[in-house]
């Protein structure tokens, strides 16, 4: 048995012992995706977190994802294997700044991307993920929308819905660093490849793409496409998922890695289950308010 197989076997045993489930985002390292009970995007994982019968959820993703699972499951133990697995985008919005803007414009709905802190969700009208952002904004009757914290996803939603949207000045460095010349260079090298990108990419990158969608939407697009090659404008680990699910197809990365996602390792998952750490805790007052915005989102699609 290799050391990796040994760790994976111990994780399986510990999982049984604690009646635990492992949820992993599609940006996790391949070896984490392999041991997970479920691999998905932010929306899929929120839904799984609501429906699970497990007592313990080991969340292999970043802080806001584990926090979301904890808020939707107040009676369960939610473990994040590395407390420093953060999301740079989620750190870009603070509740006091949003409240200031909200006070100046009472007719405005605050639509908050799930990539945000529990405190920010708690002062929001509704949450969304990249998979349902367009549907969420279309479901609102407000005349104005403040979209927090990702300006690129906000611009994508404005284009898709035709609604007047005010953007927060936040962005994800993993996607902001994907430049049009990189995409053009790959397209010249692989002319038969289709370009698929995440809506967190800047507009000039999106406008070069054949398809823009959340990770689950890109997965579906690739499965259905008659094309055999794809340039993938998002976090590189997503390609592990695409390759596993589409063995006959070829994928070209843009060389962009999320530091927070990559902090989770097999060793840390094993330790998390052995020591039951690190437990994710959200104060009840914040949890209750944030859960309203999350439940409203889950009711839309
Ligand atoms: P998805 O919900 O599309 O998986 O995106 C989450 C994310 O963090 C993108 O950077
Ligand atoms: Fe956050 Fe960007 Fe990492 Fe997604 S890829 S978790 S938005 S830093």
């Amino acid at each position: 048995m290799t050391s990796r197989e040994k760790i994976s076997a111990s994780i399986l045993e510990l999982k049984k012992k604690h009646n635990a489930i492992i949820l992993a985002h599609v940006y996790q390292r391949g070896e984490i995706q392999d041991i997970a009970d479920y691999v998905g995007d932010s929306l899929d994982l929120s839904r799984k977190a609501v429906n699970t019968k497990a007592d313990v959820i080991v969340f292999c993703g970043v802080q806001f994802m584990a926090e979301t699972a904890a808020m939707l499951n107040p009676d369960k133990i939610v473990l994040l294997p590395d407390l420093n697995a953060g999301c740079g985008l989620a750190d870009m919005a603070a509740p006091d700044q949003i409240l200031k803007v909200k006070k100046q414009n009472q007719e405005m709905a605050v639509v908050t991307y799930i990539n945000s802190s529990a405190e920010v969700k708690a002062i929001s009208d509704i949450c969304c993920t990249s998979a349902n952002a367009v549907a969420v904004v279309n479901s609102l009757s407000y005349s104005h929308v403040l979209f927090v914290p990702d300006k690129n996803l906000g611009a994508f939603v404005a284009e898709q819905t035709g609604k007047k949207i005010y953007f927060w000045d936040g962005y994800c460095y993993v996607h902001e660093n994907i430049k049009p010349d990189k995409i053009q260079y790959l397209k010249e090298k692989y002319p038969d490849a289709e370009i698929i990108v995440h809506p967190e990419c800047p507009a000039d990158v999106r406008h070069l793409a054949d398809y823009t969608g959340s990770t689950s939407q890109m997965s579906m697009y690739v499965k259905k496409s008659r094309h055999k090659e794809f340039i993938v404008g998002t976090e590189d680990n997503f390609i592990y998922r695409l390759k596993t699910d589409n063995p006959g197809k070829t994928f070209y990365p843009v060389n962009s890695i999320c530091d927070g996602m990559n902090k989770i390792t097999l060793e840390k998952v094993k330790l998390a289950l052995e020591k039951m750490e690190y437990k994710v805790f959200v104060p009840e007052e914040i949890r209750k308010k944030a859960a309203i915005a999350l439940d409203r989102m889950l009711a839309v699609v």
Side-chain angles (χ1 to χ4, degrees):
M1 242 196 205
T2 63
S3 67
R4 181 171 153 180
E5 284 167 347
K6 273 188 202 154
I7 297 185
S8 301
S10 314
I11 290 172
L12 283 182
E13 261 175 44
L14 286 160
K15 237 176 52 170
K16 256 192 218 151
K17 180 175 157 195
H18 294 292
N19 186 27
I21 186 174
I22 299 179
L23 301 182
H25 188 263
V26 289
Y27 293 167
Q28 287 290 292
R29 297 162 186 268
E31 64 258 36
I32 299 289
Q33 297 190 29
D34 286 346
I35 50 120
D37 294 285
Y38 189 78
V39 184
D41 74 351
S42 308
L43 184 60
D44 300 332
L45 295 174
S46 305
R47 290 198 192 284
K48 280 280 165 208
V50 173
N51 296 329
T52 182
K53 292 200 162 50
D55 298 316
V56 176
I57 299 171
V58 182
F59 210 107
C60 298
V62 289
Q63 233 162 23
F64 79 80
M65 295 181 176
E67 232 178 37
T68 302
M71 290 191 285
L72 294 170
N73 281 289
D75 304 330
K76 293 194 164 96
I77 294 174
V78 177
L79 304 175
L80 181 63
D82 186 327
L83 274 186
N84 293 317
C87 166
L89 171 60
D91 295 339
M92 286 188 175
D96 52 334
Q97 300 166 318
I98 297 166
L99 282 173
K100 228 190 226 173
V101 180
K102 221 177 152 177
K103 247 191 201 164
Q104 287 159 2
N105 197 339
Q106 315 254 336
E107 294 304 302
M108 189 163 63
V110 178
V111 178
T112 295
Y113 191 26
I114 200 158
N115 298 36
S116 55
S117 67
E119 288 79 5
V120 167
K121 288 184 179 84
I123 54 151
S124 303
D125 294 292
I126 190 165
C127 288
C128 70
T129 72
S130 53
N132 65 14
V134 170
V136 163
V137 169
N138 273 333
S139 76
L140 300 173
S141 52
Y142 287 76
S143 55
H144 295 74
V145 167
L146 173 65
F147 195 89
V148 178
D150 189 72
K151 62 178 177 186
N152 292 323
L153 178 61
F156 173 70
V157 174
E159 275 177 33
Q160 296 292 308
T161 60
K163 293 207 178 193
K164 173 85 190 139
I165 295 181
Y166 296 92
F167 314 128
W168 201 254
D169 193 19
Y171 60 88
C172 158
Y173 67 92
V174 176
H175 292 89
E176 188 77 7
N177 288 342
I178 303 172
K179 302 292 180 205
D181 53 358
K182 176 80 191 195
I183 301 288
Q184 276 156 344
Y185 163 79
L186 288 169
K187 183 69 184 172
E188 271 165 37
K189 209 168 164 194
Y190 307 110
D192 293 337
E194 280 201 295
I195 302 165
I196 56 170
V197 305
H198 196 276
E200 283 178 20
C201 288
D204 52 4
V205 168
R206 273 195 291 108
H207 294 156
L208 292 173
D210 297 293
Y211 181 73
T212 301
S214 72
T215 52
S216 61
Q217 289 165 342
M218 282 192 275
S219 286
M220 277 189 274
Y221 183 84
V222 165
K223 253 179 219 163
K224 286 187 189 155
S225 172
R226 58 181 176 78
H227 284 255
K228 293 269 181 266
E229 294 173 69
F230 300 86
I231 294 159
V232 184
T234 190
E235 216 271 353
D236 287 356
N237 282 305
F238 180 46
I239 288 186
Y240 184 83
R241 189 76 254 134
L242 291 174
K243 272 188 184 159
T244 309
D245 295 343
N246 304 276
K249 299 192 174 184
T250 307
F251 303 95
Y252 305 113
V254 290
N255 303 325
S256 208
I257 287 286
C258 173
D259 291 338
M261 289 283 179
N262 270 273
K263 287 218 156 60
I264 310 295
T265 61
L266 277 182
E267 288 80 2
K268 287 179 191 170
V269 173
K270 181 170 165 257
L271 274 177
L273 279 163
E274 276 170 358
K275 299 187 172 177
M276 284 288 115
E277 66 184 22
Y278 300 90
K279 290 194 181 94
V280 179
F281 174 75
V282 179
E284 187 56 13
E285 203 181 311
I286 292 171
R287 188 199 72 78
K288 270 193 195 151
K289 288 184 190 158
I292 295 172
L294 284 166
D295 286 340
R296 281 186 190 144
M297 168 189 85
L298 292 172
V300 173
V301 275

